[in-house]
């Protein structure tokens, strides 16, 4: 019975979202910074680097650079100190660094969507980057908000322009 349970548990998997593994936009914006228009709780800049079958998403604020490494339509394990993550239900501080499994996919030619699963918690974030010409809009949706139709994530969208 124990061996059977071990086999069953070993076969469990949570598939990453899949749509399109690439877009022509990726090559155009890869490694380039977007200056974020200032508003409350926004970083100074964001950058997406598409290379090595993945995407390194970075946000720079006054405390430094925060990143999440995503696989393209596959999970990549890592750690992040991205502000505002993971979502939480309890009071008190979160640890400074969270373990995360992250994956990204192109929902359409101009929309890159990342899923960040904080595997030491029951939570995840969906982070959507929409590109229009020389601009980016980054939107967040945490797992608790996704379960409550009509609610919005507390984090503001980040909007910015490609740095020349």
């Amino acid at each position: 019975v124990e061996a059977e349970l071990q086999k069953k548990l070993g076969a469990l998997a949570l598939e990453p979202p899949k749509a399109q593994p690439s877009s022509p936009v990726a090559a155009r914006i890869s490694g380039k910074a977007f200056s974020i228009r200032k508003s409350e709780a926004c970083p100074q800049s964001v950058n997406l680097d598409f290379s090595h079958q993945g995407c390194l998403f970075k946000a720079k604020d006054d405390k430094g650079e925060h990143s999440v490494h995503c696989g393209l339509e596959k999970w990549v394990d890592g750690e992040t100190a991205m502000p505002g993550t993971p979502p939480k239900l309890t009071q008190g501080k979160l640890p400074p660094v969270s373990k995360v499994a992250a994956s990204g996919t192109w929902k359409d030619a101009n929309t890159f969507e990342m899923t960040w699963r904080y595997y030491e918690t029951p939570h995840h974030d969906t982070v959507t980057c929409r590109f229009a010409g020389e601009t980016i809009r980054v939107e967040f949706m945490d797992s608790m908000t996704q379960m409550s139709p009509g609610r919005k994530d507390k984090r503001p969208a980040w909007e910015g322009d490609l740095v020349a």
Side-chain angles (χ1 to χ4, degrees), residues 6-143:
Q6 290 286 348
K7 183 179 177 184
K8 187 171 186 165
L9 289 173
L12 294 176
L14 184 60
E15 290 296 315
K18 294 183 179 179
Q20 301 172 48
S22 188
S23 164
V25 171
R28 187 173 60 81
I29 59 104
S30 183
K32 297 180 180 172
F34 288 86
S35 177
I36 300 301
R37 295 178 210 123
K38 274 298 180 196
S39 68
E40 192 177 321
C42 288
Q44 298 152 352
S45 65
V46 296
N47 169 303
L48 289 88
D49 186 2
F50 292 90
S51 58
H52 309 293
Q53 301 298 310
C55 174
L56 182 60
F57 177 85
K58 294 187 274 188
K60 184 178 179 182
D61 63 16
D62 58 350
K63 293 184 175 90
E65 198 168 78
H66 313 282
S67 63
V68 175
H69 185 232
C70 298
L72 294 177
E73 300 192 336
K74 65 181 180 182
W75 297 116
V76 171
D77 290 343
E79 294 183 337
T80 188
M82 187 72 65
T85 62
K88 66 184 194 107
L89 291 169
T90 59
Q91 293 183 349
K93 288 189 159 195
L94 290 169
V97 175
S98 299
K99 292 185 179 178
V100 64
S103 179
T105 189
W106 287 90
K107 300 302 269 182
D108 61 45
N110 297 305
T111 308
F112 185 66
E113 185 176 277
M114 296 173 281
T115 303
W116 301 346
R117 295 203 170 271
Y118 308 100
Y119 55 85
E120 291 185 331
T121 79
H123 302 296
H124 69 275
D125 275 321
T126 301
V127 182
T128 305
C129 300
R130 289 186 173 82
F131 302 93
E134 304 291 302
T135 66
I136 188 172
R137 180 177 173 88
V138 182
E139 298 172 333
F140 298 88
M141 179 68 70
D142 68 45
S143 50

